[in-house]
Amino acid sequence: MTSKTKRDVLEKHRDNANLNAPSPAQVMFSQNDLGADGLIRPLDERIIAATVEALESGQTHYVDVPGIAPLRDAVADYLREFSGAAYEQGNIVITAGMQESRFLTIQMIGAQFDSIGVPEAVHPGARKALGTRARKVATLPVDASAGYLSSVESVDAAVAGGCRLLFLESPSRLSGAVYSGEQVAAIGEIVNEKDGAVIWDQGLAPWVDGDYASLAAQDGEAARVATIGEAFPGMGLASWFIGFIAAPEAWVAPMQSQKQIQSICTSTASQYGALEASQLFGAARGQQLASLRQIRSRLSQLASEGDLDVLRGAAANIIALRMESGSEAALATLRAAGYEATDGAFFGAPDVVRLNVTNTTADALRALV
Amino acid sequence: MSKKKKQGTNLLYDMIAEASAYDDVIVMGRGDPDFDTPAHIVDAAKDAMVNHHADYSPPEGLLALREAIAERVKRVNNIDVDADTEVVVTNGGQEALFLMVVAANGPGDEMIVPEPNYTTYADSLAFAGGVKVEVQAFAENDFRADPADVRAAVSDESRSLLLVSPNNPAANVISPEDMREMLGIAIEHDLIVLADDIYDLFVYDDFEHLSPASLPGGKERTLTLNALSKAYSMTGWRLGWIVGPADLMARVRELKAAISGGTSVISQYAGIAALTGPQDAVEMMAEAYRRRRRLVLDALDEMGMAYGVPQGGQFVFADISFTGLDSGELAQRILSEQHVLAYPGSAFSKDRKDYLRMTFLQPEEKLREGLERMKVAMADIMAERQ
């Protein structure tokens, strides 16, 4: 069949580099897959029991668009307790995973601003979300020595240049690097001064080894920050696709409308699973973080002994390496040894390889040394 | 300052919120079947939690589910698809709808839409920057969209043609003759066909459902959506799909990856059980809807409401112009005074404020009670008019 209409649609599609940006898998293929965003974790029997109980009691129907009330409460409580951000139930939208959180915030908050500032190195999911509908994008330079974060000066320059909405990750999804308390305060002041706003991805924050500063917790910032992340990561729910957005209520309304348009609500099984996970998260996270910290410390030492360049990063669940010869050769070496890792080129950092921190990561590193 | 009247989704939000405050409310608005998901499907989800909770699923979905979908669309719709390249699993029919519209339309593109129609089509098209070109149909013709009107609506900017059969909210089924003619128009004017088959298992009397993608020349230009929500009473699981030609489906896949990344594997395993397991629950529900449909139509006849005879689907779209009230006002009064939620036609289209959509997704006893309460409300309203 010759169809000009189809040809036009497909040509525009092929030209859309953002939409076609390759992205890491959501969940590992196997124990040797160290490149996925989410890890294989055991699922606590209590999560299974609570989810089955909900389903068997008839929770198989549509629920409220922004999510079931107790889960929204649980997410607000978690954000308040964990990062000091003053969110309530009305500020929370439960999403069908982290990518839906990126999409809804970037598109719906983005629609209220002329342009959006996005770091040169960022999770490709942000670029893909931008690719669904044309947005004016200002690229923020990143500093490799700072774990590929955009500097406060870059943020200042972008905002001074008229770009009042920023998409920032802390920790960086590439390196795990975080903004310090002082840097977060400085970003808050810059944004405040110019009546700007920030979409703040803190999905990896539970794995930060040490203090963590959330932008929404800064004085006066909650009204201009949308915080996004996975709902209770590390609890075995990676393939259940459950995430959150926490935002001022004025921003929740358009995102809720769009959520209704694109998916009505999030799977009830995922929501009830996450609700039970919220009860177990505190204790489980502490144990996991201690274990990850220990493994990552050994990996850093191993890398150092092998002259590998480990990027600055505070999140204990990932380790990123800067490879002088580029990521391709390193990935080929890893593949030959039976391992998968994330290509930094996906993020806009073609000389970086990212590996998840697991019990098999050391063997992968040895293959690179 | 006058308060702007709420429309569409926002109007429905307010009504749903009010309805939830009434303990004795009877919901005849939302398209959510009252039946719970069949037990064997819940059991499959439980098994998935134990044995497959961390399975990797690509954005387009588990291959086993895509194979089950390919088998289903062949068996039910006579559409041949390759499970590898021509199926994408979605977060319910709603995400399928959004993806389908955004995949086919860009800024300035025109989508021809037989009206009335489900509001989300217009909302999704607005997101894409497209333009809706309406073709009107009315109760006196059982909401049949005339292919001649569709042909007249085609312009140089036309990119796609929406064909929802059975239709929501009007519940008409596009006849095989009309479907062939509609597809012919699409081929002649090089339009992409967007087919919504979500109610294809609920067709009444002697009406016949036909998927445009099953016709010669149809598949290569048609994206077809469906979901498990209505047929298996799985609205809360958020599981649907799109099938279509591999080239367009590659675009759908990337859009799916950009919008939500993937679909819960627990829902996907439940979906495999639904599609490959026993189908007696679907037949039981279809039979119940047949009985309830008769119940509702009889009550509407008693109330003196005209309607397009529902040829399929799970609802009826009734003309309430004789009340002299706007459908928003009427629906609000029925809700506030009798605690019955029916959806105003104005929530579907600004041109349909003379209509009310009522679903038959309540147990018969409750449905009877709801209809009796509606009769009381209507009698009060008519008495006020005299």
Side-chain angles (χ1 to χ4, degrees):
Chain A
M1 167 196 152
T2 309
S3 166
K4 183 176 179 306
T5 302
K6 252 170 75 164
R7 200 171 57 238
D8 288 350
V9 166
L10 296 173
E11 275 175 12
K12 278 183 201 156
H13 175 76
R14 273 192 291 271
D15 293 343
N16 189 336
N18 277 336
L19 183 60
N20 292 307
S23 195
Q26 170 77 12
V27 181
M28 304 157 78
F29 291 95
S30 68
Q31 296 292 345
N32 282 358
D33 176 5
L34 305 171
D37 280 339
L39 299 179
I40 294 173
R41 301 267 193 211
L43 191 58
D44 192 294
E45 283 178 9
R46 287 166 288 185
I47 294 176
I48 298 175
T51 309
V52 170
E53 187 186 346
L55 294 173
E56 288 181 342
S57 68
Q59 294 295 345
T60 57
H61 298 270
Y62 291 127
V63 292
D64 289 345
V65 177
I68 58 173
L71 180 58
R72 296 168 76 199
D73 280 335
V75 170
D77 289 348
Y78 156 68
L79 290 170
R80 255 197 325 272
E81 287 161 21
F82 175 73
S83 54
Y87 290 120
E88 305 289 341
Q89 187 196 110
N91 301 115
I92 308 297
V93 178
I94 302 299
T95 61
M98 183 59 205
Q99 186 58 27
E100 194 178 76
S101 297
R102 287 190 190 99
F103 175 81
L104 286 171
T105 50
I106 286 173
Q107 284 295 339
M108 303 318 291
I109 300 172
Q112 300 171 42
F113 293 84
D114 293 334
S115 62
I116 178 167
V118 179
E120 197 178 353
V122 70
H123 191 283
R127 272 197 280 276
K128 291 183 86 71
L130 286 163
T132 56
R133 182 167 64 174
R135 302 244 69 88
K136 190 175 167 197
V137 179
T139 301
L140 310 180
V142 291
D143 178 0
S145 67
Y148 285 83
L149 291 176
S150 293
S151 66
V152 173
E153 290 72 27
S154 300
V155 168
D156 192 19
V159 175
C163 179
R164 291 170 44 241
L165 175 65
L166 306 169
F167 181 93
L168 298 173
E169 296 170 349
S170 180
S172 155
R173 296 255 175 192
L174 173 66
S175 67
V178 294
Y179 288 109
S180 68
E182 292 76 26
Q183 288 171 317
V184 171
I187 291 169
E189 275 177 33
I190 292 164
V191 171
N192 224 340
E193 196 178 302
K194 296 283 197 271
D195 192 23
V198 179
I199 300 164
W200 183 264
D201 173 3
Q202 64 175 53
L204 299 190
W207 313 123
V208 169
D209 187 7
D211 292 336
Y212 177 72
S214 174
L215 184 60
Q218 300 296 304
D219 279 348
E221 289 308 304
R224 55 182 74 249
V225 177
T227 305
I228 61 176
E230 292 85 349
F232 310 108
M235 301 301 295
L237 299 175
S239 62
W240 295 39
F241 290 88
I242 183 110
F244 68 83
I245 300 168
E249 288 195 29
W251 292 355
V252 165
M255 290 191 287
Q256 185 171 314
S257 286
Q258 178 60 27
K259 168 83 179 160
Q260 159 72 30
I261 290 165
Q262 71 187 52
S263 61
I264 299 184
C265 59
T266 297
S267 145
T268 54
S270 297
Q271 293 200 56
Y272 282 95
L275 181 60
E276 183 64 20
S278 72
Q279 306 295 312
L280 311 171
F281 181 69
R285 172 185 163 262
Q287 287 168 6
Q288 284 189 33
L289 181 56
S291 165
L292 289 168
R293 191 188 292 136
Q294 206 171 35
I295 299 170
R296 194 178 190 281
S297 167
R298 282 204 301 272
L299 293 173
S300 294
Q301 193 181 343
L302 186 64
S304 163
E305 287 164 8
D307 281 337
L308 294 172
D309 183 4
V310 178
L311 289 178
R312 196 186 101 179
N317 65 322
I318 55 175
I319 184 163
L321 308 170
R322 195 167 184 192
M323 311 301 295
E324 270 181 28
S325 53
S327 60
E328 271 184 36
L331 290 167
T333 304
L334 285 169
R335 241 170 247 134
Y339 298 97
E340 293 290 335
T342 309
D343 188 345
F346 291 4
F347 289 69
D351 53 352
V352 174
V353 168
R354 185 192 77 176
L355 299 102
N356 286 319
V357 172
T358 76
N359 285 325
T360 58
T361 314
D363 291 334
L365 278 190
R366 284 188 195 99
L368 283 176
V369 170
Chain B
M1 193 172 73
S2 69
K3 198 176 167 187
K4 197 180 168 190
K5 260 190 184 173
K6 287 194 173 179
Q7 287 190 329
T9 307
N10 289 329
L11 172 63
L12 296 185
Y13 274 152
D14 286 358
M15 295 187 70
I16 292 167
E18 181 179 340
S20 65
Y22 301 131
D23 289 341
D24 62 344
V25 72
I26 295 178
V27 176
M28 294 171 62
R30 202 168 201 183
D32 190 353
D34 53 308
F35 299 102
D36 289 336
T37 303
H40 73 279
I41 298 173
V42 175
D43 288 345
K46 185 177 176 181
D47 178 67
M49 288 176 218
V50 174
N51 296 310
H52 302 287
H53 84 273
D55 277 11
Y56 165 76
S57 168
E60 62 269 32
L62 295 167
L63 180 59
L65 176 57
R66 286 182 279 136
E67 286 171 344
I69 291 166
E71 191 281 325
R72 189 271 188 200
V73 298
K74 176 64 184 166
R75 176 170 40 85
V76 177
N77 308 100
N78 197 28
I79 305 172
D80 279 303
V81 291
D82 178 347
D84 268 332
T85 58
E86 298 184 324
V87 182
V88 168
V89 175
T90 60
N91 283 306
Q94 192 89 342
E95 189 179 62
L97 183 168
F98 183 69
L99 287 169
M100 196 165 81
V101 171
V102 174
N105 299 283
D109 291 347
E110 290 181 0
M111 180 166 89
I112 299 171
V113 180
E115 288 281 316
N117 228 308
Y118 184 43
T119 40
T120 302
Y121 279 104
D123 295 333
S124 302
L125 188 63
F127 180 91
V131 179
K132 183 169 79 157
V133 177
E134 297 180 354
V135 173
Q136 297 296 339
F138 298 96
E140 53 265 36
N141 297 322
D142 289 332
F143 296 103
R144 171 183 177 259
D146 190 332
D149 293 339
V150 169
R151 186 182 295 280
V154 175
S155 81
D156 290 347
E157 306 307 318
S158 301
R159 289 291 173 275
S160 58
L161 169 62
L162 177 66
L163 298 173
V164 183
S165 178
N167 172 278
N168 175 12
N172 73 302
V173 174
I174 300 174
S175 71
E177 297 73 32
D178 281 356
M179 190 60 89
R180 287 189 182 90
E181 203 172 339
M182 296 283 197
L183 179 63
I185 295 166
I187 292 171
E188 188 183 331
H189 295 280
D190 195 13
L191 307 178
I192 295 172
V193 176
L194 305 179
D196 180 341
D197 281 2
I198 197 165
Y199 294 103
D200 61 0
L201 295 182
F202 304 102
V203 176
Y204 307 113
D205 303 331
D206 295 326
F207 295 100
E208 188 186 337
H209 174 267
L210 184 64
S211 297
S214 69
L215 295 169
K219 187 195 153 184
E220 55 262 45
R221 62 174 64 249
T222 303
L223 295 173
T224 304
L225 79 75
N226 212 315
L228 300 181
S229 302
K230 314 296 180 182
Y232 297 89
S233 206
M234 292 178 69
T235 50
W237 299 75
R238 313 311 305 130
L239 198 66
W241 67 77
I242 303 175
V243 298
D247 48 8
L248 282 178
M249 291 306 292
R251 170 164 166 76
V252 170
R253 183 203 180 277
E254 287 307 324
L255 283 166
K256 164 70 179 165
I259 287 164
S260 60
T263 305
S264 159
V265 293
I266 305 304
S267 291
Q268 292 194 61
Y269 277 103
I272 293 168
L275 290 173
T276 62
Q279 302 297 304
D280 49 325
V282 180
E283 286 156 27
M284 178 275 291
M285 287 188 264
E287 185 50 41
Y289 297 144
R290 263 182 224 112
R291 286 195 308 273
R292 296 174 186 182
R293 167 178 169 264
R294 191 66 263 157
L295 202 70
V296 173
L297 298 186
D298 288 347
L300 294 183
D301 288 340
E302 280 183 48
M303 284 184 257
M305 281 194 204
Y307 49 82
V309 174
Q311 301 164 350
Q314 299 169 337
F315 27 74
V316 57
F317 207 47
D319 185 340
I320 50 94
S321 55
F322 69 99
T323 65
L325 293 182
D326 167 283
S327 65
E329 294 170 61
L330 180 66
Q332 186 59 56
R333 281 198 62 174
I334 294 170
L335 176 60
S336 304
E337 294 172 15
Q338 294 295 329
H339 299 181
V340 175
L341 176 63
Y343 279 177
S346 55
F348 295 91
S349 161
K350 61 180 171 21
D351 297 325
R352 301 294 168 160
K353 49 188 183 218
D354 288 342
Y355 290 87
L356 210 56
R357 190 191 82 166
M358 284 156 280
T359 61
F360 25 95
L361 300 174
Q362 290 290 346
E364 282 175 52
E365 203 167 311
K366 221 170 171 183
L367 201 55
R368 274 199 193 90
E369 167 67 18
L371 290 163
E372 286 304 317
R373 290 194 210 168
M374 277 187 71
K375 283 181 198 168
V376 173
M378 296 300 284
D380 289 348
I381 288 162
M382 295 315 289
E384 286 169 20
R385 277 177 61 84
Q386 285 163 4

